[in-house]
Amino acid sequence: VEEENEIQEQMNLLNARWESLRVESMDRQSYLHDALMELQKNQLQELSDWLTVIEENIQKLESQCLVEDLETFQQQMDEHKELQKGIEAEQVKVNSLTHMVVIVDENSGESATVLLEDQLQRLGERWTAVCRWTEEQWLKLEEINTLWQELLEEQCMLKAWLVEKEEALSRIQTCNFKDQTELGANVRKLSSLKEDMGKKRQMLEQLNEMAQDLAQLLNNKKALKKIDSNLEELTQRWDNLVQKLEDYSNQVTEAIVKVGMPQISENVLTKTILVKKQKTAQDIQMEQSPPPLPRRRQIGLDTEMRKKLDVEIAELLNGILKSKAAIQAIEIKEFKKMRETSGMKEKLKAIKKERVEKEKTLNELKQTGENLLDQMGKEGLPTEEIGNALKRLLAEWKGAACYLEEVARKVQYQHEINIYFSELGKLDKSVSEKEAWLQDNSAIEDQPLAVLQELCQGKLTNLLSLTPQMEHLKIKCKELTSHPAAPDFVEDSFCSLNSHFSSAQQELELFLQKLKRELESHPPKTYLDSLKKIKDELNELESKVHSIMNSVNDLNQVEKALQQTKMVCETLENQKVMVDKLVADTQVLEKHISVEKSKLYKQELKCLQGYRDKLKLKISKDVHLLEETVSKLRTFEADSKVVQRWLDSVKDFLMKDQIKQAEPEGLQRQLDQC
């Protein structure tokens, strides 16, 4: 019955513990459920708030017109890039929400689940709309930027061409010709200029078309007005050049009629086609007799070579201007701590490769121009125009090369800044980890002093191992700051890291010294272990001796007890070495700890020694007692055996002579024998 009651009681205890564990588990599950549900609500609300802010920004951007100049427009593109980066950063949270398990309160029913799923769907639609608008807007901005840059480049080239032709036209002579050669040269110049203008007319029309396309995309009246103003200025200069060319042609025609010179070759004096808003001017005709045939062939050859040279120079100049525009798009206006440079390097590499390919064309063109200049000089023809064109081409080529090298140096310098700040960031992170360890009181307080000292020494050693890297960064900092346009943050960042490093080193060294002092003020673990071991052994020996003395009943047990007691005594003697070492350690310890603690440990050692001496004295007495007991017991046992043998012999004697009991003399004799 008692066993059944005990089993029943144990079962009741187990059931009670099981029920308590089940209730606690259910409460924990409910708490986690509520916490996860609250977390989901917060995440959804944060995403909704973020989308609201982005949608408001999009509405503002849609209501605003695009900017009126290219530089501000590129700033707007940079702002759009920042918006894209923000969306990419938020994409991580959105991805986590797409894999979210819908959790609602069980008491809310299915309606809460439906509401949460509807909320997720609406957020997904809003997110998709924001991403779609951002992508479409970026494509639109890229298209505008490309078209705008191309328009500005074409305008710049046309302006340069107009300046060149205006200068060339101003150098053409229209009267007072010395001879037929001088007249022929000026006629060739007019003819070449007219043909060039006929070719460039298409370029002006293309500029108008590009301006119209850009105006439609920009939808900005100020920008449209500015673009129209630039085109109107170009058109006006074009018309003025056409009018001037027509006037010069008429003056040359009149001069030919007045002096009555022979007819110039049809290859030299062609029909003058003046392109002025699609109107044709009057033709210049020469009715004089033609010059000799060899002269006509040479003039035609010079004209063809010059036309070809002009076309090739114009094409190469156009390529140089485009490469300059591409270099300008790469150019770094302001250095930053971290900036992506791999794309810039790839573009620069492509531009350099293109220049290497065009350098052969430049050399051939230069050689052709020099040959043509020599030939024209021998014939007495003017060479200034071609010479100036070649000089300008070479100057533009050299200027583009210098510009390319300058931008490449800036990109390389930014790349070195990137490496510098990458290494600096790693070092700063490592130093911050050491400081964080020092400031983490919970991790420090839970550790023993010896373990803390070892950890602190390891942290300090690791920190000091970073010194070569600090020296390398110092040298790198000097190299970077020697750059003429070195930003201030290069040196400031290193000074901040150096101060951070020195502070962390000082704090670790001070903490390590503090730990050493604390360890020196406390007995070492070996000392405490030895003290405890001796105490435990003495207690064990005392208990053993007490047990031995209480179990003595006969000679065998006394002899066994004697042997065991002697072994205990021998153990005490062997313990003397450990006690002597403990005494020596205590004397050394007195020099490092306070007087109060020294007295405490000396008193504890004195008590231990007194306890050991008392135990040793007691055991010695027990050994002496046991030895005496053994000796007496052995004597008693020997005497007992003698008496017992005598009693046995008396008994045998009495049994044998019972028949003689009637004889008194026999009895007396037997009694005497006894």
Side-chain angles (χ1 to χ4, degrees), residues 432-479:
S432 298
E433 289 176 354
K434 310 298 185 296
E435 288 187 335
W437 179 79
L438 282 172
Q439 295 170 2
D440 189 3
N441 295 325
S442 60
I444 292 177
E445 291 174 355
D446 295 340
Q447 297 288 347
L449 288 176
V451 176
L452 269 182
Q453 183 186 16
E454 184 177 354
L455 288 174
C456 186
Q457 184 64 55
K459 299 287 183 184
L460 181 59
T461 303
N462 182 261
L463 183 67
L464 293 177
S465 68
L466 302 178
T467 304
Q469 298 180 39
M470 287 291 295
E471 291 297 327
H472 170 71
L473 271 184
K474 184 178 180 180
I475 296 172
K476 192 68 176 177
C477 178
K478 288 183 179 179
E479 293 177 358

Side-chain angles (χ1 to χ4, degrees), residues 58 94-95 104 269 301 432 439 566 586 630 669:
I58 290 174
V94 174
N95 291 339
V104 296
L269 287 177
L301 181 61
S432 298
Q439 295 170 2
K566 286 183 178 181
T586 305
V630 168
R669 189 175 54 258

Side-chain angles (χ1 to χ4, degrees), residues 152-161 203 318 321-322:
L152 292 178
E153 290 173 3
E154 296 292 338
Q155 286 179 345
C156 181
M157 288 190 290
L158 184 57
K159 283 182 182 178
W161 185 87
M203 182 178 181
N318 186 23
L321 291 174
K322 286 185 177 180

Side-chain angles (χ1 to χ4, degrees), residues 155 162 204 208 211 224-240 277:
Q155 286 179 345
L162 286 173
L204 187 62
N208 286 321
L224 179 59
K225 185 177 179 181
K226 188 173 182 179
I227 293 171
D228 290 342
S229 174
N230 292 335
L231 284 176
E232 185 64 28
E233 179 186 351
L234 288 174
T235 305
Q236 185 64 37
R237 290 181 65 181
W238 176 276
D239 293 343
N240 292 339
K277 296 182 180 178

Side-chain angles (χ1 to χ4, degrees), residues 305-508:
M305 290 178 63
R306 182 173 175 181
K307 287 180 180 179
K308 182 179 179 182
L309 184 65
D310 288 342
V311 170
E312 291 178 348
I313 289 176
E315 290 178 352
L316 193 54
L317 273 175
N318 186 23
I320 293 173
L321 291 174
K322 286 185 177 180
S323 65
K324 272 189 174 182
I327 296 170
Q328 186 178 8
I330 303 171
E331 184 179 10
I332 297 175
K333 302 295 189 300
E334 181 182 3
F335 294 109
K336 296 181 180 180
K337 291 184 178 181
M338 293 298 293
R339 185 199 296 267
E340 176 60 35
T341 57
S342 57
M344 297 180 182
K345 286 188 174 183
E346 289 296 326
K347 292 179 181 178
L348 288 174
K349 185 178 179 182
I351 293 173
K352 288 181 180 179
K353 183 179 179 181
E354 183 181 1
R355 283 181 60 83
V356 171
E357 295 173 354
K358 288 183 178 179
E359 189 172 6
K360 183 179 179 182
T361 304
L362 176 69
N363 293 332
E364 293 176 354
L365 195 59
K366 180 182 176 182
Q367 186 65 39
T368 302
E370 290 175 352
N371 294 337
L372 183 59
L373 287 174
D374 291 341
Q375 185 176 349
M376 292 176 68
K378 291 177 182 178
E379 296 176 2
L381 298 176
T383 60
E384 183 180 359
E385 184 176 356
I386 296 178
N388 290 338
L390 283 174
K391 287 180 181 178
R392 184 191 171 204
L393 175 64
L394 294 174
E396 289 287 345
W397 178 268
K398 186 177 179 181
C402 294
Y403 190 25
L404 178 62
E405 291 300 322
E406 179 185 357
V407 172
R409 284 194 295 271
K410 286 185 177 181
V411 171
Q412 181 61 29
Y413 183 68
Q414 178 64 62
H415 178 67
E416 292 175 358
I417 290 177
N418 291 348
I419 298 174
Y420 170 77
F421 274 96
S422 175
E423 296 177 358
L424 191 143
K426 292 178 182 178
L427 281 178
D428 188 66
K429 181 181 178 182
S430 180
V431 174
S432 298
E433 289 176 354
K434 310 298 185 296
E435 288 187 335
W437 179 79
L438 282 172
Q439 295 170 2
D440 189 3
N441 295 325
S442 60
I444 292 177
E445 291 174 355
D446 295 340
Q447 297 288 347
L449 288 176
V451 176
L452 269 182
Q453 183 186 16
E454 184 177 354
L455 288 174
C456 186
Q457 184 64 55
K459 299 287 183 184
L460 181 59
T461 303
N462 182 261
L463 183 67
L464 293 177
S465 68
L466 302 178
T467 304
Q469 298 180 39
M470 287 291 295
E471 291 297 327
H472 170 71
L473 271 184
K474 184 178 180 180
I475 296 172
K476 192 68 176 177
C477 178
K478 288 183 179 179
E479 293 177 358
L480 291 175
T481 51
S482 64
H483 192 276
D488 294 336
F489 58 74
V490 173
E491 187 173 5
D492 294 343
S493 299
F494 177 76
C495 291
S496 176
L497 174 63
N498 193 29
S499 175
H500 194 191
F501 184 89
S502 301
S503 175
Q505 180 181 349
Q506 185 178 5
E507 289 179 5
L508 282 172

